[in-house]
Amino acid sequence: MTGLKIGEPKGAIDDADIILQFIGPSKGEDETIDLGNGEAAKSMKDFFGKALMRKAEALEQLERWEDAAQAWRLAVESGHG
């Protein structure tokens, strides 16, 4: 999100790709992560969706329309966006 807000879409894409690679092909289905802050564990599927949507936004900023459309499509198919 920071990359998007400060006008560095390439950095936002790199950050999103790291998260997406970390989550892997499961797309976060049936996975949770305990953030260690006393709150209930969070769904990895939510983080997957956020990363995809931010990547799509960054691709739009770079006017990479086809890549952005592909990211948005995957996000919607995964229940996000």
Side-chain angles (χ1 to χ4, degrees):
M1 182 58 109
T2 302
L4 290 173
K5 288 193 174 201
I6 64 172
E8 293 185 11
K10 289 180 182 178
I13 292 168
D14 291 342
D15 292 345
D17 283 339
I18 290 168
I19 293 167
L20 295 170
Q21 184 178 16
F22 176 76
I23 294 172
S26 71
K27 300 178 185 174
E29 290 290 334
D30 301 319
E31 294 181 77
T32 59
I33 185 168
D34 183 354
L35 299 176
N37 60 3
E39 293 180 19
K42 302 276 184 173
S43 169
M44 290 298 284
K45 184 176 179 178
D46 291 341
F47 290 106
F48 176 80
K50 286 180 184 180
L52 265 179
M53 290 187 294
R54 290 181 178 144
K55 181 176 180 174
E57 290 176 37
L59 290 164
E60 287 177 353
Q61 285 184 11
L62 293 172
E63 298 182 3
R64 291 175 48 189
W65 308 118
E66 191 172 321
D67 294 333
Q70 183 178 0
W72 280 118
R73 191 171 10 265
L74 182 56
V76 170
E77 289 170 356
S78 301
H80 304 281

